[in-house]
C-alpha cells in the first residue's frame, strides 16, 4: 500500500475544481488544501495547538534549512520531525533545490548536484538528489519532494529544456534513493516554465515514473498571474486524475481560487505569516495595513466576517498598537488571523465545489475582496 493515496470525492460541475482527500501515514486532509509553511520546524509564532484549532490539516517544512540548522541527524535521533516539533498530523518537506537558488549565491549546477555557499556563514556545500532524499528520510516527512531545479523567470527555451531534462534525471535518482516507500510518499515536480512543449515533456518523463503525487514547480517566481493560469490550464490535464496535484509557492487568495478552479489540490506559501509580521492583514473586504493611522481608534475586529480567535477577542487598535511596538504578541495575533483567513477560504472553496458553484463563489469573493477593481 503506497504511503500516500488520493481519494477523489467529486468534480465541481461549474469548473474543473475537484474535492478530494489525501491519505498519509499521519492522517488525512481534505483538498483543495492550503499548507502553512513551517520552514525551521515551526510555523512562525504558532503552536501546534494553534494550527489544529484553526484547522490546518498539513504543514510544510524545509530540507535545506533543517539540514543546516539543527542538522537532520539530530532530528533523526529525536525520532523524526513530527516528534521533534510535536506535530502529529501530515508534514510535507520541500527538497532544497528551490531554497538553494533563492537563498544562496555562488552556486554551480552540475549533473551530480548543486555546489553552493551556506547562506549564513559562506561555507561550501553540496546538495544532490541522493542527499536530499537522505535528509528527508531522516526527517520522516509523510510527503517528500524530488530534488529539482526551479529555473529563474524568464528563462530561454534552450536553458529550460536542458533544465527539465536534468530535473527528470534527478527525479529518477530520487526514486532510486528512496529508502522508505511504504512510510513516505515522494512527489515528482513538473518543470518547463511557460513552454507548453517542455511542460508536456516534463509531465511525460515524471508520470512514466509513477510517483504517488505531482507538484507543479517553476511558477510563482515573478511571472504575471495570467501566465501562471495559462500554464496551469495546459499542465494539470497532463497529470493523473487519481493523484494529488500540488502548486508550489502559491498562496494569495485569488491565486488559490484560480488554482483550485484549474484542478490544483494542494498549495503552500509563506505569504500569510510573512505579511502578518509587518502588519498586513487579509480580510474579506481586502487587505488592511494595520499600522495606518486610521485604525488608531478602531475598536472593531480585524474582519467582522471572521470568527478566528484574534477577531473574536482583540481590536484593530490593539493589534495596531502591538505591531507598531513590535510586540511578539502582535505578530502572533496577526499571523493567527491571516492563516485562519486562508484556511477558512479553502473550506469555503471546498464547500463551493460540493455545491457545484465555485465559479459563482469566485465572482462573489473577488467582488467583495476588491480583486475586480481596475
Ligand atoms: C514563492 N514561489 C515559489 N515558487 C516555487 C517553485 C518551486 C519549485 O519549482 N520547486 C521546489 N522544489 N520548490 C518551489 C517553491 C518552494 C515551495 N515552498 C516555490 N515557491
Ligand atoms: Zn480573524
Amino acid at each position: 500500500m503506497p504511503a500516500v493515496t488520493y481519494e477523489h470525492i467529486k468534480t465541481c460541475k461549474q469548473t474543473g475544481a475537484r474535492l478530494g482527500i489525501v491519505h498519509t501515514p499521519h492522517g488525512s486532509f481534505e483538498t483543495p488544501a492550503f499548507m502553512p509553511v513551517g520552514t525551521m520546524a515551526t510555523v512562525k509564532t504558532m503552536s501546534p495547538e494553534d494550527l489544529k484549532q484553526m484547522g490546518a490539516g498539513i504543514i510544510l517544512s524545509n530540507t535545506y534549512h533543517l539540514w543546516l540548522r539543527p542538522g537532520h541527524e539530530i532530528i533523526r535521533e529525536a525520532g523524526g520531525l513530527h516528534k521533534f516539533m510535536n506535530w502529529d498530523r501530515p508534514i510535507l518537506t520541500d527538497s532544497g533545490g528551490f531554497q538553494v537558488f533563492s537563498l544562496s549565491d555562488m552556486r554551480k549546477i552540475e549533473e551530480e548536484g548543486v555546489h553552493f555557499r551556506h547562506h549564513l556563514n559562506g561555507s561550501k556545500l553540496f546538495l544532490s538528489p541522493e542527499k536530499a532524499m537522505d535528509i528527508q528520510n531522516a526527517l520522516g516527512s509523510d510527503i517528500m519532494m524530488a530534488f529539482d531545479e526551479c529555473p529563474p523567470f524568464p528563462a530561454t527555451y534552450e536553458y529550460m529544456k536542458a533544465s527539465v531534462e536534468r530535473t527528470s534525471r534527478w527525479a529518477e535518482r530520487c526514486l532510486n534513493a528512496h529508502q522508505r516507500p511504504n512510510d513516505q510518499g515522494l512527489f515528482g515536480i513538473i518543470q518547463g516554465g511557460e513552454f507548453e512543449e517542455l511542460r508536456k515533456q516534463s509531465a511525460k518523463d515524471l508520470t512514466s515514473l509513477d510517483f504517488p503525487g505531482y507538484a507543479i514547480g517553476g511558477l510563482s517566481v515573478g511571472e504575471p498571474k495570467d501566465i501562471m493560469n495559462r500554464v496551469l490550464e495546459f499542465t494539470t490535464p497532463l497529470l493523473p486524475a487519481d493523484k494529488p496535484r500540488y502548486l508550489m509557492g502559491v498562496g494569495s487568495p485569488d491565486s488559490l481560487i484560480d488554482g483550485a478552479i484549474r484542478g490544483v489540490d494542494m498549495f503552500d506559501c509563506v505569504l500569510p505569516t510573512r505579511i502578518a509580521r509587518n502588519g498586513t492583514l487579509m480580510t474579506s473586504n481586502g487587505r488592511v495595513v494595520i499600522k495606518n493611522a486610521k485604525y488608531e481608534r478602531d475598536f472593531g475586529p480585524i474582519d467582522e466576517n471572521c470568527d478566528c480567535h484574534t477577531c473574536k477577542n482583540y481590536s484593530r487598535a490593539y493589534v495596531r498598537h502591538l505591531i507598531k511596538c513590535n510586540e511578539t504578541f502582535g505578530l502572533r495575533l496577526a499571523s493567527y488571523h491571516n492563516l485562519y483567513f486562508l484556511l477558512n477560504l479553502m473550506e469555503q472553496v471546498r464547500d463551493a465545489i460540493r455545491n457545484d458553484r465555485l465559479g459563482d463563489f469566485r465572482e462573489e469573493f473577488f467582488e467583495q475582496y476588491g480583486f475586480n477593481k481596475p
Side-chain angles (χ1 to χ4, degrees), residues 37 39 60-62 92 94-99 102 145-151 189-191 199 215-223 246-251 268-270 274:
V37 175
T39 289
L60 181 143
S61 202
N62 274 306
L92 180 148
D94 198 357
S95 52
F98 179 83
Q99 289 74 32
S102 58
M145 302 311 293
F147 187 70
D148 65 326
E149 181 195 359
C150 173
I189 303 177
I190 310 294
Q191 293 291 353
R199 287 283 176 183
I216 299 165
L219 291 175
S220 190
V221 286
E223 77 283 359
Y246 160 29
L247 175 55
M248 306 188 87
V250 169
D268 89 278
C269 194
V270 293
R274 182 167 293 172

Side-chain angles (χ1 to χ4, degrees), residues 306 308 311 337:
C306 181
C308 86
C311 293
H337 166 78

Side-chain angles (χ1 to χ4, degrees), residues 170-182:
W170 282 357
E172 187 152 19
R173 284 170 52 187
C174 286
L175 266 182
N176 295 336
H178 193 357
Q179 296 154 31
R180 299 163 51 190
N182 297 330

Side-chain angles (χ1 to χ4, degrees), residues 282-283 301-312 333-334 336-338 340-341:
M282 301 177 192
T283 80
I302 299 287
D303 182 347
E304 63 274 3
N305 300 314
C306 181
D307 60 354
C308 86
H309 180 77
T310 299
C311 293
K312 283 193 295 194
L333 290 176
Y336 190 102
H337 166 78
N338 275 357
Y340 186 97
F341 181 85

Side-chain angles (χ1 to χ4, degrees), residues 58-225:
I58 175 171
I59 62 168
L60 181 143
S61 202
N62 274 306
T63 296
Y64 173 84
H65 296 80
L66 296 175
W67 171 44
L68 300 187
R69 291 185 295 175
H72 59 296
E73 291 306 343
I74 287 176
I75 296 177
R76 193 200 307 267
E77 284 167 40
L81 188 51
H82 290 86
K83 206 148 169 25
F84 190 55
M85 67 183 290
N86 187 34
W87 174 256
D88 60 5
R89 292 185 179 181
I91 297 176
L92 180 148
T93 46
D94 198 357
S95 52
F98 179 83
Q99 289 74 32
V100 166
F101 296 107
S102 58
L103 282 172
S104 60
D105 48 19
M106 287 294 288
R107 57 187 176 266
K108 189 171 181 329
I109 307 176
E110 292 174 351
E111 184 62 29
E112 192 49 24
V114 186
H115 296 272
F116 60 97
R117 294 244 182 221
H118 191 303
H119 69 289
L120 298 174
N121 64 28
S123 58
K124 283 185 179 170
L125 293 168
F126 175 71
L127 202 47
S128 66
E130 292 76 14
K131 182 68 183 170
M133 289 300 289
D134 180 42
I135 296 166
Q136 294 180 90
N137 282 156
L139 300 177
S141 42
D142 301 279
I143 300 175
M144 303 186 287
M145 302 311 293
F147 187 70
D148 65 326
E149 181 195 359
C150 173
F153 177 84
T156 62
Y157 184 89
E158 291 66 30
Y159 182 89
M160 193 62 80
K161 185 172 187 327
S163 174
V164 162
E165 288 163 356
R166 180 173 52 230
T167 285
S168 294
R169 293 192 295 273
W170 282 357
E172 187 152 19
R173 284 170 52 187
C174 286
L175 266 182
N176 295 336
H178 193 357
Q179 296 154 31
R180 299 163 51 190
N182 297 330
D183 301 324
Q184 297 181 277
L186 173 63
F187 282 17
I189 303 177
I190 310 294
Q191 293 291 353
E194 58 187 299
F195 305 105
E196 187 165 0
E197 279 320 298
L198 296 181
R199 287 283 176 183
K200 277 183 183 157
Q201 180 64 48
S202 183
K204 181 169 169 286
D205 292 348
L206 295 187
T207 51
S208 68
L209 294 171
D210 195 22
F211 287 97
Y214 294 91
I216 299 165
L219 291 175
S220 190
V221 286
E223 77 283 359
K225 286 200 175 166

